[in-house]
Amino acid sequence: MKNKGFKYLMLLSGLTLVLGSAFAQKKKRTTAEQVGRKGEFYISWGYNKEWYTPSNIHISQPSLGNDYKFINVYAADHPGWDEGITNRAISIPQYNYRVGYFFKDNWGVEINFDHTKYIVATEQLLHVKGTMEGKPVDAFYDNTKPYGNASQPLTYFLNNGANFLLFNLVHRKHLTSFKTNWFDASLLLKGGVGMVIPHVENTIFGKKNDPNFQIGGMDVGVEAALRMTFAKYVYLEYCNKLVYANYWGLKVADGTARQAFGCYEMILNLGVSVPLKK
């Protein structure tokens, strides 16, 4: 009888351990799944690197009889963070921020801003075509040297920012098959439209504009981001992004400029997510 009772006790103990373990695992899974749920607010800050497609810069200066294009112009960014971050203000390098909210477990909205710099390369052969001083022009010149009566070559900067602002719809897909409290990985797919807010600075054929910020057109973009969340609240996010930006009404001396180009970005963000709902 004693042996029989002991067997029943061992069986009951085993069942208790199994059920307890299953309950603990279920409880742990539920806790882990709170990483990325409906009602989550997040904010991040990071830095970026860009590559731009060649583009045409269309210059219109009616009072000077000018209406011409610089054709297939090459430009580059100026990261700044590669020259050091600790010795300068955090807003001087090419930075970006995101502010978002998940209104469903896997769907959210986001304000997405990238401070990106655009600088026309000096070392290139520029093709100018159109009308200058009321006369047809179709010529090439070396941009490392002054052109005609100008005292310097073309300088054309969106250097305090080409500045992409997007309002994104965000879809999230969890990647981790295991459940823990300390780590979660997810893929975020984003897409949106917005506006560009460039800081325009240029000297074209010796004529310098008055540099300033302006709302200068519209943009569309798509982004894929790998988000790795630690301890439920802090995350590191690596992003790849494509943007198409169309600029118009950009201020130049005695007129305006317009252009459109594509951009590929790589971005690294550090962020915090906060559940606003239990």
Side-chain angles (χ1 to χ4, degrees), residues 47-272:
Y47 295 98
N48 53 69
K49 169 69 181 172
E50 281 74 44
W51 292 265
Y52 300 107
T53 61
S55 64
N56 297 338
I57 302 175
H58 189 156
I59 307 296
S60 177
Q61 298 165 307
S63 64
L64 303 178
N66 293 342
D67 188 4
Y68 58 87
K69 294 179 182 179
F70 295 101
I71 298 174
N72 285 334
V73 176
Y74 288 88
D77 67 342
H78 184 196
W81 45 259
D82 56 342
E83 299 170 1
I85 296 177
T86 57
N87 60 350
R88 62 185 65 199
I90 63 171
S91 60
I92 290 179
Q94 294 180 161
Y95 66 84
N96 37 266
Y97 65 78
R98 281 59 176 137
V99 179
Y101 177 76
F102 280 95
F103 58 86
K104 288 188 175 181
D105 286 355
N106 293 315
W107 288 97
V109 290
E110 179 184 84
I111 297 173
N112 181 307
F113 181 79
D114 298 335
H115 171 61
T116 57
K117 300 180 181 182
Y118 177 96
I119 302 173
V120 167
T122 301
E123 296 181 358
Q124 64 179 306
L125 192 67
L126 289 176
H127 183 191
V128 183
K129 186 174 183 179
T131 302
M132 294 183 66
E133 298 179 352
K135 300 176 182 179
V137 62
D138 188 352
F140 291 85
Y141 76 94
D142 183 352
N143 196 43
T144 62
K145 302 175 183 178
Y147 179 78
N149 296 324
S151 60
Q152 64 186 91
L154 168 72
T155 59
Y156 186 93
F157 303 152
L158 305 177
N159 197 36
N160 278 329
N163 294 340
F164 308 136
L165 175 65
L166 290 170
F167 300 94
N168 281 342
L169 183 64
V170 182
H171 180 62
R172 173 169 48 196
K173 175 67 176 177
H174 284 281
L175 301 178
T176 45
S177 58
F178 57 92
K179 308 295 180 180
T180 72
N181 282 332
W182 65 270
F183 180 78
D184 179 79
S186 57
L187 175 68
L188 276 65
L189 302 176
K190 311 176 185 182
V193 298
M195 64 185 74
V196 286
I197 313 170
H199 183 278
V200 186
E201 181 179 353
N202 51 70
T203 301
I204 301 174
F205 297 131
K207 292 184 175 291
K208 183 176 176 59
N209 78 328
D210 181 18
N212 217 329
F213 286 96
Q214 63 179 99
I215 295 176
M218 298 190 68
D219 57 349
V220 296
V222 292
E223 181 177 326
L226 175 63
R227 179 178 293 188
M228 294 167 287
T229 304
F230 302 92
K232 295 200 296 183
Y233 301 114
V234 179
Y235 64 84
L236 190 66
E237 190 173 82
Y238 169 69
C239 316
N240 284 266
K241 181 174 180 177
L242 295 175
V243 179
Y244 174 78
N246 194 335
Y247 296 82
W248 62 77
L250 303 184
K251 295 177 182 177
V252 302
D254 301 306
T256 59
R258 68 176 186 266
Q259 71 179 128
F261 54 74
C263 175
Y264 166 63
E265 296 184 62
M266 288 198 302
I267 301 164
L268 188 64
N269 294 324
L270 180 65
V272 176

